[in-house]
């Protein structure tokens, strides 16, 4: 038994899976799942043991998130955002960067991190911001709107970024944490709109967050960066952990889709052939194709997570500027592969899965969200083309 299966037992996963359909149907937050995962220390997974955590590597955390996603994809996606922030601490710690300690201590103290980076119309994502930061004595007052803020009902620390108003400095972007006054109400200047009513991933409750003078204190700043792609360690950690842990969640969806399709096709029988559908060559081809897609992504995901875990050691790979392309490429291939896997599983499993409320129907809606997470298909191909061909000539 591995550390991952010890942490996420079959019994716990069964309980979480049993709740997934209801939270999806009711468009409700995964509150019971969250409390159960918190109880077993799941939110401290990436915190080193010396700080009071479980001491998982990023590779182990990705395996855990993949396993959780087989039970409830929206639960895994929502809690993923907390792990992304703690993952920043993990990568900083591997580099010997003391900024990791603040993240670890907050996580052990029970703080819940969320990801307040995405903005409507900002296709630069981490490398620019439409949210403005007005300098004040205590730090900055932020004005802007963040979208897809998963864990909206529970976060206590929100990682945000903003462009400092009127700042001609070489590092106009500021990254740091906003704090809720308590676990139930937002701090002044932060409004969480209860507007999440999406096609899939409904239990993640990824609501819109409006910043109207929210105070980002100087002591809560993690970094300042240029408004352009750059290798800042904090930005690097955000980018890498976000892409890899997302890839893990969607690979978990692929895992579950294959399992469900196998179960259905081995128990359904063909009236014409008086044999299980699993003997049908076309059904076998669909399921085999799904397995081939999933297995290819699995190997890429494990290797790149292991490469990150080797930071600061003599095993650290010399990926250099290719790190970002590798991260975004794995995320893109994982989400596209998962979409194709679910499609093949549906093709193999019969018309009953087209009914509202079937598990494959829910997985089909959930997996579509992978198209919208950064890095999207367009940015992946643009960045890869630039790395191979250079910039477009003027």
């Amino acid at each position: 038994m591995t550390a991952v299966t010890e942490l996420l037992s079959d019994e716990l996963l069964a309980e979480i899976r049993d709740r997934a359909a209801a939270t999806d149907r009711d468009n409700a937050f995964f509150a019971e799942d969250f409390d159960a995962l918190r109880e077993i220390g799941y939110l401290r997974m990436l915190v080193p043991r010396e700080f009071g955590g479980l001491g998982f590597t990023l590779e182990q955390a990705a395996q855990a998130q993949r396993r959780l996603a087989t039970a409830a994809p929206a639960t895994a996606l929502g809690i993923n955002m907390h792990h992304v922030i703690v993952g920043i601490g993990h990568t900083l710690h591997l580099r010997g960067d003391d900024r990791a300690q603040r993240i670890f201590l907050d996580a052990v103290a029970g703080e819940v991190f969320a990801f307040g980076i995405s903005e409507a119309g900002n296709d630069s994502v981490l490398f620019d911001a439409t949210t403005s930061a007005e300098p004040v004595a205590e730090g900055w007052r932020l004005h802007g709107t963040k979208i897809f803020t998963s864990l909206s009902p529970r976060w206590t620390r929100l990682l945000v970024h903003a462009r400092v108003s009127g700042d001609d400095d070489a590092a106009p972007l500021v990254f740091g944490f906003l704090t809720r006054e308590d676990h139930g109400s937002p701090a002044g200047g932060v409004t969480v709109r209860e507007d999440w009513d999406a096609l899939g991933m409904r239990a993640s409750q990824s609501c819109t967050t409006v910043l109207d003078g929210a105070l980002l204190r100087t002591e809560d700043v993690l970094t300042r960066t240029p408004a352009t792609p750059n290798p800042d360690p904090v930005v690097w950690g955000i980018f890498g952990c976000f892409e890899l842990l997302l890839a893990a969640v969607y690979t978990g969806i692929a895992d579950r889709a294959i399992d469900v399709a196998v179960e259905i096709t081995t128990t359904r029988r063909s009236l014409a052939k008086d044999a299980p559908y699993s003997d049908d060559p076309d059904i076998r081809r669909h399921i085999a194709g799904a397995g081939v897609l999933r297995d290819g992504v699995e190997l890429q995901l494990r290797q790149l997570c292991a490469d990150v875990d080797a930071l600061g050691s003599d095993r650290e790979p010399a990926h250099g500027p290719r790190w970002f392309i590798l991260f975004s490429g794995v995320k893109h291939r994982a989400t596209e592969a998962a979409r194709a896997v679910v499609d093949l599983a549906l093709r193999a499993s019969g018309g009953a899965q087209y009914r509202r409320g079937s598990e494959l129907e829910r997985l089909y809606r959930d997996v579509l969200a992978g198209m919208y997470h950064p890095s999207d298909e367009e940015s992946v191909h643009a960045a890869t083309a630039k790395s191979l061909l250079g910039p477009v000539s003027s």
Side-chain angles (χ1 to χ4, degrees), residues 223-279:
T223 194
R224 296 281 304 270
T225 74
T228 185
N230 64 86
D232 177 272
V234 170
V235 171
W236 191 99
I238 296 171
F239 197 106
C241 293
F242 187 90
E243 303 288 62
L244 293 176
L245 291 174
L246 269 178
V249 168
Y250 286 92
T251 304
I253 294 177
D255 291 336
R256 182 58 182 169
I258 291 171
D259 288 346
V260 171
V262 167
E263 181 180 355
I264 290 171
T265 57
T266 54
T267 55
R268 289 179 68 231
R269 294 186 68 83
S270 166
L271 179 63
K273 299 178 181 178
D274 190 27
Y277 274 99
S278 56
D279 287 352

Side-chain angles (χ1 to χ4, degrees), residues 102 175-179 215-223:
R102 182 258 165 86
F175 291 77
F177 293 108
L178 299 180
T179 302
L215 178 62
L216 174 60
R217 296 180 177 85
T218 303
E219 59 267 28
D220 291 330
V221 169
L222 268 181
T223 194

Side-chain angles (χ1 to χ4, degrees), residues 104-229:
F104 293 155
L105 293 175
D106 275 357
V108 170
E111 305 298 346
V112 179
F113 293 109
F115 192 73
I117 299 293
S118 296
E119 301 166 324
N122 177 13
D123 55 359
S124 294
V125 194
L126 287 167
F127 304 123
D128 206 344
T130 60
T131 297
S132 64
E134 178 186 354
V136 294
E138 307 97 317
W140 295 267
R141 292 284 179 183
L142 306 188
H143 296 269
T145 300
K146 303 294 185 176
I147 59 174
F148 298 131
T149 313
S150 301
L151 289 177
S152 286
R154 291 291 184 96
W155 67 261
T156 65
R157 299 285 185 269
L158 183 66
L159 178 67
V160 296
H161 76 325
R163 181 185 269 269
V164 178
S165 302
D167 193 340
D168 295 326
D169 187 77
L173 295 183
V174 58
F175 291 77
F177 293 108
L178 299 180
T179 302
R180 273 186 170 165
E181 293 172 344
D182 57 46
H183 289 189
S185 62
V190 180
T191 301
V192 176
R193 294 178 181 164
E194 295 184 8
D195 60 355
W196 186 246
D197 191 10
L199 177 66
M201 293 294 189
R202 290 162 64 79
S204 69
Q205 289 300 294
S206 304
C207 300
T208 301
T209 305
V210 179
L211 308 178
D212 186 16
L215 178 62
L216 174 60
R217 296 180 177 85
T218 303
E219 59 267 28
D220 291 330
V221 169
L222 268 181
T223 194
R224 296 281 304 270
T225 74
T228 185

Side-chain angles (χ1 to χ4, degrees), residues 236 300 303-308 310-311 315-327:
W236 191 99
Q300 298 172 49
Q303 183 59 60
L304 199 50
C305 286
D307 285 354
V308 172
L311 285 174
R315 298 177 290 105
E316 180 178 340
H319 292 318
R322 294 188 65 240
W323 276 109
F324 286 95
I325 293 171
L326 294 173
F327 290 146

